[in-house]
Amino acid sequence: MAAHFGMIGLGTMGSNLVMNVADHGFEACGYDRDPAQQKRLMEEAKGKTVTTAATLPEFIQALQTPRIIMLLVPAGKIVDTVLSDLMPLVQKGDIVIDGGNSHFVDTERRFLQLQNSGVHFIGMGVSGGEEGARFGPSLMPGGNKESYELIKPIVESIAAKSDEGACVSFMGNSAAGHYTKMVHNGIEYAMMQLISEVYGILKNVGQFNNAELHQLFSAWNKSALQSFLIEITADVFLKKDGDTPVDLVDMILDKAKQKGTGMWTSQSAMDLNVPIPVIDAAVSMRYLSALKDERVKNSKFYSFSTEKNSITKEELASACKNALHFGFLLSYGQGLQLLGVASAQYNYNINISEVVRVWKGGCIIRSVLLNDLRKAYQQDNALSNIISSPVFQPLFSQLRKDVALVLKTAMDNGLPAASLGASLHYFDAYITNRLPANLIQAQRDYFGAHTYERIDKTGVFHTEWEGKPPVVTSAQKPKEE
Ligand code: 6PG
């Protein structure tokens, strides 16, 4: 029997997706260069409509046409290798889906390459980890609408379901799917960093122990903060270390690793001149966390006399909750603004309100906050930034005070809160009528004749700044008096 769906790459994600496809009434065939992976899948998928093929040509033969072939292999060169192995075997009209975390520039290149040969290429973001792949991920496919229609019955069946339907939709042209997934991950970095900052403050200032943190995060998960990341954080605090009598979280080294998708988000935002400082700070703080040896060394050089904390445990918990609410919203807001700008710049034609809908279930950044974000973009799909939306205006004003309180507490105690700080500074700047950037323009014109604009008339202006200090090289530098 010819299979409806083929998967290349039978690691945990690939195998789980194959079983998910089979659970929804489709025949699925898997291929992996490693026969052990094929064997593992066949054992796990006993009784399901799953087959495997020993070679790539056999795999291709096993699929009904037009073929739907998904790749779940590590992003980068391997995707190109698999594609070049596949190309002589597939035919016009077949669909190849890359489900890995590929860089959007690679996806744009591959999309064009395959388009020229009549094969459809879909770059599809897949979120939700192993569990999501098995029982319902959030899927972000991009490419061309025609090929999406062909995979729609399968992807709609296997995707997570929210109160607004299957968590999949055509994201847009070319690399729109992978761009959206990249931004998803940038937001994921920001939310995780914000949670870790608040954890540090609650633990070190509020003296919350892990059992209390579990209680607090569980309660938050029944509030406006309800989300996958808050839920799993509550669980983390409960886990005992198997080897020692302490809690596992306290035994884990404080160096956060990354595979690079957050960095890509920041890089792309810089290219497009979109400010996303909450995400940028999250990326930088992962790098800083990795500098463990230097941190340990420096910790011996400095010590602060910290203020006596007058804030009660309850007050601190309540302020932290509001600070997270504020930071989470701005993480989403910055990511979505970037998505809007990228969509216009790269002709992706992404519908932001639909992206928000797709993120409501299955993915790592799913949360109830997305309901309000959806409302804001449904009211105005061309919304530049959520700060301007009437849906959020009263809320931001109300939460701001607690963000400042948490930051002040963190600073008084020498605790870093870079993403939370970035969220407040970003917000304050975004609502400031006149920023001090006029001075930067004056300086630029002073030393480089870069010109400036004026507040009272249009055009560009330059001033002959008098009394410029003479150019002094370091060798001639005058002695200080
Ligand atoms: C998801 C995740 C997934 C991956 C993270 C981890 O949406 O399911 O984002 O794609 O596990 O990207 O990323 P880092 O290793 O960079 O933290």
Side-chain angles (χ1 to χ4, degrees):
M1 202 177 327
H4 305 103
F5 178 87
M7 172 69 78
I8 299 182
L10 300 178
T12 315
M13 289 292 286
S15 301
N16 281 1
L17 262 176
V18 165
M19 290 197 281
N20 187 353
V21 168
D23 280 347
H24 288 89
F26 301 98
E27 321 258 331
C29 179
Y31 171 76
D32 196 294
R33 274 195 324 194
D34 178 2
Q37 297 280 53
Q38 302 195 19
K39 196 163 159 254
R40 193 178 57 86
L41 171 63
M42 287 317 289
E43 274 158 21
E44 277 179 43
K46 262 201 188 100
K48 295 188 193 294
T49 51
V50 172
T51 54
T52 55
T55 65
L56 204 50
E58 275 177 40
F59 169 77
I60 295 295
Q61 283 308 313
L63 302 175
Q64 70 173 40
T65 55
R67 298 181 182 88
I68 299 176
I69 301 168
M70 182 159 168
L71 273 49
L72 260 175
V73 298
K77 276 209 174 78
I78 300 184
V79 176
D80 289 312
T81 310
V82 175
L83 285 179
S84 65
D85 291 348
L86 260 184
M87 283 318 281
L89 304 171
V90 290
Q91 66 194 48
K92 225 173 147 185
D94 286 348
I95 300 151
V96 179
I97 308 166
D98 173 16
N101 274 333
S102 290
H103 192 276
F104 71 97
V105 172
D106 287 336
T107 301
E108 282 181 9
R109 170 176 56 78
R110 292 168 186 147
F111 176 75
L112 289 176
Q113 243 167 24
L114 269 70
Q115 195 177 42
N116 292 338
S117 59
V119 174
H120 299 294
F121 185 70
I122 294 182
M124 181 162 83
V126 177
S127 179
E130 296 170 3
E131 200 60 13
R134 181 67 188 89
F135 299 109
S138 172
L139 299 172
M140 292 151 255
N144 67 55
K145 193 78 203 285
E146 186 196 338
S147 57
Y148 176 68
E149 290 303 323
L150 297 169
I151 67 163
K152 192 170 161 181
I154 297 183
V155 291
E156 283 197 346
S157 323
I158 65 169
K161 309 291 178 299
S162 78
D163 59 338
E164 290 197 273
C167 295
V168 58
S169 196
F170 179 63
M171 293 287 112
N173 305 321
S174 180
H178 275 148
Y179 197 94
T180 305
K181 177 61 185 8
M182 178 190 78
V183 170
H184 165 285
N185 282 26
I187 297 170
E188 174 185 303
Y189 276 51
M191 292 173 75
M192 291 168 74
Q193 174 65 23
L194 288 163
I195 293 174
S196 84
E197 290 170 6
V198 160
Y199 156 60
I201 295 163
L202 289 166
K203 181 180 155 90
N204 295 301
V205 180
Q207 304 296 317
F208 279 75
N209 63 32
N210 291 332
E212 290 169 321
L213 286 167
H214 165 74
Q215 293 290 339
L216 188 62
F217 275 75
S218 302
W220 284 354
N221 199 40
K222 294 189 185 82
S223 74
L225 292 185
Q226 192 190 336
S227 55
F228 174 72
L229 285 170
I230 293 287
E231 184 184 345
I232 65 163
T233 308
D235 286 352
V236 165
F237 291 122
L238 269 192
K239 188 81 181 162
K240 293 278 166 217
D241 178 29
D243 299 338
T244 65
V246 299
D247 295 333
L248 178 60
V249 69
D250 295 324
M251 294 306 290
I252 296 178
L253 188 65
D254 53 334
K255 280 164 102 170
K257 303 256 163 93
Q258 54 184 314
K259 293 197 209 78
T261 45
M263 173 191 72
W264 293 346
T265 311
S266 287
Q267 285 174 334
S268 177
M270 291 284 174
D271 285 343
L272 295 168
N273 298 354
V274 182
I276 56 161
V278 184
I279 296 172
D280 297 337
V283 176
S284 289
M285 288 309 285
R286 286 211 192 179
Y287 294 138
L288 214 154
S289 80
L291 305 175
K292 174 82 179 177
D293 295 346
E294 285 185 63
R295 288 192 286 115
V296 170
K297 188 175 74 187
N298 290 335
S299 70
K300 298 184 182 112
F301 302 151
Y302 300 93
S303 68
F304 303 107
S305 57
T306 53
E307 298 277 309
K308 178 103 187 63
N309 296 304
S310 54
I311 190 164
T312 67
K313 239 170 139 151
E314 289 70 30
E315 284 164 349
L316 183 64
S318 158
C320 281
K321 178 181 169 218
N322 287 341
L324 270 186
H325 194 164
F326 185 93
F328 279 3
L329 283 176
L330 289 177
S331 307
Y332 287 120
Q334 293 180 5
L336 294 173
Q337 182 171 27
L338 172 61
L339 209 49
V341 173
S343 175
Q345 178 72 22
Y346 304 133
N347 297 316
Y348 288 156
N349 200 19
I350 296 173
N351 178 340
I352 305 283
S353 149
E354 192 55 9
V355 171
V356 173
R357 189 193 69 74
V358 165
W359 287 350
K360 281 177 64 171
C363 68
I364 305 295
I365 62 169
R366 62 185 184 259
S367 78
V368 292
L369 298 175
L370 290 161
N371 290 329
D372 279 347
L373 286 158
R374 174 109 165 115
K375 213 181 291 167
Y377 279 93
Q378 274 175 330
Q379 278 178 13
D380 176 8
N381 212 9
L383 186 66
S384 161
N385 190 292
I386 62 166
I387 291 173
S388 327
S389 168
V391 174
F392 293 110
Q393 283 162 16
L395 186 60
F396 277 131
S397 312
Q398 187 195 319
L399 298 174
R400 191 198 171 283
K401 185 171 56 61
D402 277 340
V403 185
L405 175 64
V406 173
L407 280 169
K408 184 180 175 310
T409 309
M411 285 186 220
D412 285 347
N413 289 275
L415 298 173
S419 276
L420 192 60
S423 70
L424 188 64
H425 297 311
Y426 170 85
F427 177 78
D428 285 349
Y430 227 119
I431 60 165
T432 295
N433 182 339
R434 183 165 166 84
L435 284 172
N438 49 327
L439 186 60
I440 296 173
Q441 283 300 77
Q443 291 162 334
R444 291 178 71 246
D445 190 60
Y446 189 122
F447 63 66
H450 295 298
T451 74
Y452 54 86
E453 290 171 286
R454 294 179 56 91
I455 58 170
D456 56 349
K457 38 189 176 188
T458 52
V460 286
F461 299 87
H462 167 62
T463 293
E464 282 307 320
W465 301 87
E466 275 135 34
K468 281 190 188 181
V471 177
V472 178
T473 67
S474 48
Q476 302 164 312
K477 206 171 158 190
K479 279 207 181 96
E480 269 177 39
E481 307 237 313

